[in-house]
Amino acid sequence: MAGTVLRLEEVAGERLLRAVAALLAAKGIASPTEITEQIAMTDNASPAQGARMVARAWVDPPFRALMLSDGTRAAEMLGIPMRGAPPLGVLEDTPGLHHLIVCTLCSCYPRVVLGYPPFWYKSAAYRARAVRDPRGLLAEWGTVLDPGVRIRVVDSTADYRWMVLPLRPAGTAKWNQDRLAALVRETDMIGVTLPRLAGG
Amino acid sequence: MSGSPQLAVGSRVRVRDDWPETRGRVHIRTPHYVRGRTGTVVRCLGDFPNPEELAFARPARLLPLYQVLFEQPQIWRQGCAGDQLLVEIYGSWLEPS
């Protein structure tokens, strides 16, 4: 019986989806193509996309320049569908400046290139402490900045979504792009951690 | 059409010390901790529909959106000199300082 009920609900769900999609098209809100693209965007969204961008930026200076001036276009260049997504901004760490991303008002996050935010990103504790005590927060992550490095906390309060282009770690000079991409974690692109070599 | 005059990169600006949430139902994207504070415009991000109107499905005028840089220790009276906060703020909340 339970199986029958479930099947009926699935059928109803598909009919409802088709009906809503047809209404969205009829009212000119979203075309079937746009809906398909949005589903593809959601399915493909993961930190691996952001890591690909970071690795490419580390080996390809013109791509890096594009990524810093227009993150959306840089993502599109790598085949990441950005239509309908908020504009993407990329902030570059330097030997003297470290970026940390937060959204104090809610949980704005560059989902297209980083996937769903980790649970703690939405917590009141992270949001409050990132802006008030960023050094204490980084210490709890075990992230140690070199002396003299300034922190710039980026509060993602509005229409842009932000990710960090971290510094390429030492000891990776001969690495290819794929190997570099495998090194980059989502936390490195938020700035709570720094990319590091395994065991390093 | 932009609702506010453009602010140049490098301008010193003050965030309005305004608390519309004390006057009724609102949706505000300007964090409490920067209201009344002074910072520097570092980037103009383009024009976006005013979220305070969008949230209530009212016609939303386009507002310029800026990234404004603040000195972090000045805002919290704690922290490390040189650390900064970079916040997106709509032009309607900013006045020349």
Side-chain angles (χ1 to χ4, degrees), chain B residues 15 32 34 47 51 54-55 76 82 94-95:
Chain B
V15 182
H32 294 177
V34 293
D47 290 347
L54 269 188
W76 297 105
L94 297 174
E95 51 200 22

Side-chain angles (χ1 to χ4, degrees), chain A residues 31-57:
Chain A
S31 72
T33 313
E34 284 168 337
I35 293 173
T36 307
E37 279 179 5
Q38 189 67 44
I39 291 171
M41 196 191 283
T42 308
D43 286 348
N44 292 329
S46 90
Q49 302 282 33
R52 275 205 299 142
M53 293 177 70
V54 168
R56 173 77 177 266

